[in-house]
Amino acid sequence: AQGAATPGLERIPEPIKEATAQFYGHPASPGTSFPEGQVDSLLSIISSQRERFRAKNQELEGENRMLQHTVHALQSELDTLRADNIKLYEKIKFLQSYPGRGSSRDDTEQRYSSQYEEHLDPFSSFSRKERQRKYLSLSPWDKATLSMGRLILSNKTARTVAFFYTLLLHCLIFLVLYKTAWSESVGRDCTAFCAKK
């Protein structure tokens, strides 16, 4: 089993006997006995082939270990770079919070903003997903009302215009109602005055 020469031929498997017989040019029969030199040469061929396969297997295992080590190193480097990018996005967001700074955002900032928010608070991503689910379940007019409210509340100019528009509209309604009530009152007074005369 370990490549040692055996005195008898009964331990050699049949496929090896057939291959040896075809190699040396005479057919193998189940009871055929081979000369001792042929058996030694066949065993040396098989043992050298086994050694070559063992060396190749060890070489492939070494390459596999090296590749796994490289993959682990690259994964740790990727995690480090992602953490650095999130820290850089945090600094960008901090600098943009100062008044007078532009808030132009590009694709890189958009990519890391979600990771930054999740890094800050895992509950914020959950609440954001819940808000999105609730928004999708609203009816179209509710969505329009919510969008208009967000638009008005998000801009100072829009808030000012909405305030004065609401104030003007209420004043107009009060004036129209006052004029209608006054004209009806005058008409009633005139009717009463005419009835007295």
Side-chain angles (χ1 to χ4, degrees):
Q2 295 299 323
T6 55
L9 298 175
E10 60 274 355
R11 295 176 67 181
I12 299 176
E14 285 299 321
I16 296 177
K17 289 181 184 177
E18 291 174 7
T20 307
Q22 290 177 359
F23 180 71
Y24 286 107
H26 52 77
S29 62
T32 303
S33 63
F34 296 109
E36 191 67 31
Q38 289 181 1
V39 171
D40 289 341
S41 125
L42 182 63
L43 287 176
S44 67
I45 290 171
I46 291 173
S47 64
S48 66
Q49 187 176 16
R50 182 188 67 188
E51 292 301 321
R52 279 197 313 269
F53 284 146
R54 181 179 292 156
K56 184 70 174 173
N57 187 22
Q58 289 175 352
E59 180 184 344
L60 289 175
E61 284 179 354
E63 288 179 7
N64 188 15
R65 280 193 296 272
M66 285 177 54
L67 287 175
Q68 284 181 353
H69 179 69
T70 306
V71 165
H72 287 307
L74 288 175
Q75 185 66 37
S76 64
E77 185 178 353
L78 179 68
D79 293 340
T80 305
L81 287 174
R82 186 175 288 127
D84 291 344
N85 285 337
I86 291 173
K87 287 179 184 175
L88 287 174
Y89 176 76
E90 180 180 1
K91 290 179 181 178
I92 288 171
K93 192 166 183 181
F94 175 73
L95 289 175
Q96 283 179 349
S97 67
Y98 281 111
R101 300 291 297 178
S103 62
S104 60
R105 303 181 72 172
D106 57 354
D107 294 338
T108 308
E109 291 180 30
Q110 291 286 344
R111 193 176 338 135
Y112 288 105
S113 64
S114 60
Q115 294 179 9
Y116 171 71
E117 296 296 333
E118 289 175 4
H119 175 70
L120 279 181
D121 187 10
F123 296 110
S124 64
S125 63
F126 174 73
S127 63
R128 189 169 53 249
K129 288 176 185 173
E130 281 296 310
R131 280 199 304 269
Q132 183 68 21
R133 188 179 64 81
K134 291 282 189 182
Y135 179 76
L136 291 175
S137 67
L138 291 175
S139 60
W141 48 87
D142 289 337
K143 288 181 183 177
T145 307
L146 183 61
S147 300
M148 286 286 288
R150 284 180 181 168
L151 177 72
I152 290 170
L153 294 175
S154 66
N155 192 354
K156 181 179 180 181
T157 308
R159 287 194 301 267
T160 307
V161 169
F163 173 74
F164 284 115
Y165 174 74
T166 307
L167 188 66
L168 180 69
L169 192 63
H170 280 82
C171 289
L172 183 64
I173 290 173
F174 287 140
L175 285 174
V176 168
L177 288 175
Y178 179 73
K179 185 174 183 328
T180 305
W182 184 75
S183 61
E184 284 185 7
S185 173
V186 167
R188 200 172 40 246
D189 289 345
C190 286
T191 307
F193 182 70
C194 288
K196 279 186 187 178
K197 289 260 182 175

